[in-house]
Every structure is written in structure tokens, then in C-alpha cells.
């Protein structure tokens, strides 16, 4: 089955044609990074407008160059920015009516957590650590269409922390790759930034994350060092990156010990960070990750996950989009 996948939850307009949930036939992707860069973060109104302006041209450019027809349409319907979600969903539903193809709604988080299966065969169950600009969470992944959320962030996402610290240092948005570059030649032990471990204060939240304290610690350090030289900046980046990435490990280790699941998949934009991959390799787990270019938002993962959602829909004789565009997740016990 060939599925057209459509992604427009945040600041990437992505479309792809994927066969049987794994084989990528075509892809187009337009990032809005330049549109949002002056504001150092995504502006929801601009994002929706930009998806609206470009989605049809992207679709036409992908379809006109291919003889690959498609059997069904999958569109990300949650969670995300409401205006951006509406553009993708309306486009998908309209295409469904025009082409007579079924349309299914895909959960963007589930698509990230599934995406690794398009490059590696990872046996179920596994723990998924989703680390992006919009999300930081741990999920128990039971099958391509069955996920339980064990922990999430109580304030900023880890990607947001990278972006905000980069902004304090005068680096462009998105800041993650710039911090990683500077950190390569920095001393990660020079500044003892806090590693959050919520379990010390509240065992109920041992599977959750918090990055606001770390961000504030960097802010006050920079405030007291007005005359920052390049060596100082490199050391701040390396020390911050180490603290941010190590803060992911305590809740993850807790979930591993509570569930007994020793397979871990990382995904989302921050999963492209090579130091994260090194730190994870020190944990006693089998670790898998999509290739760095597949960690961030694109239509490929929506088409891949959509294939499985469609199979379930066909088996259960469900009809059409059934998922509502809300952004809340419910936490399960580990
Ligand atoms: O998944 P993504 O492309 O978009 C969503 O937020 O859904 O993630 C973008 C986030 C940004 O916060 C960006 O700074 C961060 O991922 N990021 C990184 C790296 N590459 C992207 N953070 C740390 N190191 C990186 N190499
Ligand atoms: Zn995403």
C-alpha cells in the first residue's frame, strides 16, 4: 500500500510517498526556519500562513515528477499548532475527496516514535525517548499503533532549552546545532550546571523532566561574565550540553529499571546530537536511532506510521479521521 504522508504540525511542511510503512518513494520538505529566525522561536500565526502558502506547490512538485500513485492519505492531526494542523488536515481531507482515497489522522508523537522502524528492525516493546523543540517525553512503545507515555517535561522541552541558551549567547535559531558545534572544543566540566532529578523531591515524578533551573543557571552565569571570550563561550556550551543531556538520563534509567525494557529508541531533533548518542551508549541498554536527517519533522514518518493506522482502520472497519487536534498526553504508570 502506498501512502501519501502530510506533516504540518509546527514549522516544517513535509510530504512523502511511502510504500508499506517503510520504503520511501518520494519526499519534499520545506523548513520555515528562516521565517522564524528573527524571533528566535516559532511564531504560530506565521507558521500557519507559511504552510498555507506552500503546501499545494510542494504537493504538485512531488506528484508531477513521479509515476507513483498513492492508495491512501495520512496527515498529522495532533499535537501541534492549531492553525498549522488545520492547514494540513484541510488539505488532506480535500485531496481525499478529490482522489477518492481514504484519509487517516496520525499522531505526530507516535510517528516520531515509530520512525526508527523505517531504517532498523527494532523488536517491540521498546522505550522511546522523544527529544525535540516541542516535546521531551518517554513512551513505552508496544506496537506501531500502541503507545503509553511514562514521563514528560514539567516546563521547557530540552530543544527549547538549547534554543534559549543559544539566544542568550547570541547564536541563531534553532540553537541546538550551534551549541553542539561550539561544545566540541569546550570543557564540559568547567561549569557545574544543575542536573535535574525530580525523583529527589517527588518520587511520583521520577520519570519526568525539568529544564527551567538549568536555563536560569546559565542566565545568571552569563550575567556575571559580560566580557565573554570565545573559550568561555565554548566551555559554557559544553557544560550546558552535558547538563541538559545528562538530565535526560535519570528519568530514562528509572523507566528502564521499572519496566525491565532494555531497548531504547531516541528520536526528535535533539536526537541528532552526537554527544547524546555517546552518553546513551554508556547506559546498559540497546540503543537505536533514526539517521540524523530523519530525526526532525518530515512527511516520511507520517506516511510510515499512517500505513499502520490505515491497516488498523481497515481491520476494524473504522472510517476516516477520528483523532481530535488536542495536545494533551495522559501519563501511564511505568
Ligand atoms: O524535531 P524538531 O526538528 O522539531 C520539533 O521541535 O518538533 O526539533 C527541533 C529542535 C530545536 O530545538 C533544535 O535546537 C534541536 O531540535 N536540535 C538540536 C540539534 N539539532 C536540532 N539540539 C541539540 N543538538 C543538535 N544537534
Ligand atoms: Zn516533531
Amino acid at each position: 500500500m502506498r501512502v501519501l504522508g502530510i506533516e504540518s504540525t509546527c514549522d516544517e511542511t513535509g510530504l512523502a510517498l511511502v510504500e508499506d510503512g517503510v520504503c520511501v518513494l518520494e519526499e519534499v520538505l520545506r523548513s520555515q526556519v528562516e521565517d522564524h529566525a528573527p524571533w528566535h522561536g516559532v511564531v504560530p500565526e506565521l507558521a500557519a500562513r507559511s504552510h498555507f502558502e506552500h503546501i499545494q506547490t510542494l504537493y504538485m512538485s512531488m506528484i508531477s515528477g513521479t509515476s507513483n500513485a498513492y492508495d491512501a492519505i495520512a496527515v498529522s492531526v495532533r499535537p501541534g499548532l492549531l492553525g498549522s494542523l488545520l492547514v494540513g488536515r484541510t488539505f488532506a481531507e480535500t485531496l481525499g475527496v478529490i482522489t477518492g482515497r481514504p484519509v487517516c489522522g496520525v499522531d505526530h508523537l507516535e510517528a516520531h516514535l515509530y520512525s526508527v522502524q523505517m531504517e532498523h528492525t527494532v523488536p517491540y516493546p521498546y522505550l522511546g525517548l522523544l527529544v525535540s523543540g516541542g516535546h521531551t517525553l518517554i513512551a513505552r512503545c508496544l506496537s506501531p499503533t500502541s503507545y503509553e507515555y511514562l514521563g514528560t517535561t514539567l516546563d521547557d522541552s530540552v530543544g527549547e532549552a538549547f534554543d534559549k541558551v543559544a539566544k542568550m549567547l547570541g547564536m541563531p535559531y534553532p540553537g541546538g546545532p550551534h551549541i553542539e558545534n561550539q561544545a566540541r572544543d569546550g570543557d564540559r566540566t568547567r561549569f557545574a550546571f544543575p542536573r535535574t532529578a525530580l525523583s529527589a523531591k517527588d518520587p511520583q515524578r521520577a520519570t519526568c523532566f525539568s529544564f527551567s533551573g538549568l536555563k536560569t543557571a546559565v542566565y545568571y552565569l552569563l550575567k556575571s561574565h559580560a566580557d565573554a571570550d570565545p573559550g568561555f563561550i565554548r566551555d559554557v556550551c559544553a557544560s550546558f550540553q552535558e547538563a541538559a543531556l545528562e538530565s535526560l538520563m535519570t528519568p530514562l534509567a528509572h523507566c528502564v529499571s521499572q519496566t525491565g525494557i532494555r531497548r531504547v529508541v531516541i528520536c526528535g531533533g535533539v536526537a541528532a546530537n552526537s554527544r547524546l548518542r555517546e552518553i546513551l551508549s554508556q547506559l546498559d541498554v540497546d540503543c537505536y536511532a533514526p539517521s540524523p536527517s530523519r530525526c526532525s519533522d518530515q512527511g516520511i514518518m507520517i506516511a510510515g506510521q499512517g500505513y499502520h493506522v490505515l491497516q488498523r482502520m481497515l481491520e476494524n472497519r473504522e472510517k476516516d479521521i477520528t483523532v481530535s487536534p488536542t495536545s494533551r498526553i495522559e501519563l501511564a504508570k511505568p
Side-chain angles (χ1 to χ4, degrees):
M1 177 191 265
R2 283 181 189 169
V3 178
L4 165 67
I6 302 175
E7 158 61 27
S8 71
T9 57
C10 188
D11 60 344
E12 254 96 29
T13 322
L15 294 97
L17 286 179
V18 171
E19 180 129 35
D20 296 341
V22 285
C23 178
V24 181
L25 304 173
E26 304 286 341
E27 189 203 5
V28 285
L29 184 65
R30 182 185 178 274
S31 167
Q32 302 176 3
V33 159
E34 284 183 9
D35 306 346
H36 300 286
W39 286 271
H40 287 272
V42 178
V43 183
E45 168 62 24
L46 278 185
R49 244 187 268 168
S50 183
H51 288 301
F52 185 71
E53 279 168 22
H54 296 283
I55 197 163
Q56 189 175 359
T57 319
L58 284 165
Y59 172 75
M60 294 310 289
S61 72
M62 186 177 81
I63 288 300
S64 64
T66 177
S67 54
N68 291 314
Y70 52 89
D71 306 301
I73 301 164
V75 59
S76 49
V77 289
R78 72 182 292 270
L81 304 171
L82 190 57
S84 298
L85 288 169
L86 279 172
V87 175
R89 183 171 175 156
T90 308
F91 187 74
E93 290 190 83
T94 310
L95 267 185
V97 171
I98 294 170
T99 61
R101 303 288 188 267
V103 183
C104 80
V106 165
D107 183 303
H108 177 91
L109 306 180
E110 294 183 3
H112 269 301
L113 294 163
Y114 166 78
S115 64
V116 70
Q117 299 284 2
M118 301 179 78
E119 295 179 80
H120 307 273
T121 305
V122 186
Y124 287 96
Y126 56 85
L127 293 177
L129 175 66
L130 169 48
V131 280
S132 71
H135 304 279
T136 300
L137 56 84
I138 302 174
R140 178 162 38 198
C141 308
L142 300 164
S143 80
T145 54
S146 177
Y147 300 85
E148 289 173 3
Y149 296 104
L150 305 179
T152 185
T153 180
L154 302 183
D155 40 59
D156 290 343
S157 71
V158 62
E160 217 173 336
F162 271 88
D163 295 337
K164 288 179 178 169
V165 167
K167 185 182 175 194
M168 292 177 208
L169 292 166
M171 294 171 181
Y173 170 83
H178 298 281
I179 293 204
E180 184 181 5
N181 274 340
Q182 291 287 322
R184 272 198 192 100
D185 302 317
D187 175 0
R188 51 183 180 250
T189 62
R190 178 164 168 195
F191 302 108
F193 291 129
R195 273 76 171 147
T196 345
L198 293 167
S199 51
K201 284 189 201 149
D202 181 356
Q204 301 285 333
R205 292 181 166 174
T207 55
C208 291
F209 308 92
S210 166
F211 294 95
S212 58
L214 170 59
K215 193 184 62 186
T216 308
V218 177
Y219 173 79
Y220 281 111
L221 175 80
L222 295 179
K223 218 174 156 193
S224 61
H225 282 76
D227 51 348
D229 60 73
F232 171 82
I233 302 225
R234 283 196 292 271
D235 293 347
V236 170
C237 288
S239 303
F240 158 75
Q241 175 175 271
E242 202 67 4
L245 301 180
E246 281 188 358
S247 297
L248 297 169
M249 293 304 122
T250 314
L252 181 61
H254 188 79
C255 288
V256 171
S257 80
Q258 290 295 301
T259 61
I261 300 172
R262 309 202 75 78
R263 273 183 294 275
V264 172
V265 164
I266 53 168
C267 52
V270 182
N273 186 291
S274 51
R275 180 68 190 146
L276 172 60
R277 292 174 185 227
E278 270 172 34
I279 291 177
L280 260 175
S281 68
Q282 292 159 16
L283 276 193
D284 181 23
V285 293
D286 294 330
C287 188
Y288 303 82
S291 47
S293 63
R294 294 267 190 97
C295 284
S296 50
D297 297 348
Q298 9 78 24
I300 291 175
M301 66 181 192
I302 305 301
Q305 167 73 1
Y307 167 77
H308 296 280
V309 175
L310 284 153
Q311 296 299 312
R312 192 193 58 198
M313 268 173 59
L314 291 173
E315 274 165 29
N316 300 340
R317 296 171 185 272
E318 292 167 30
K319 266 200 121 190
D320 227 353
I321 287 184
T322 51
V323 192
S324 71
T326 62
S327 56
R328 272 174 195 270
I329 60 165
E330 294 292 330
L331 297 189
K333 292 214 158 50

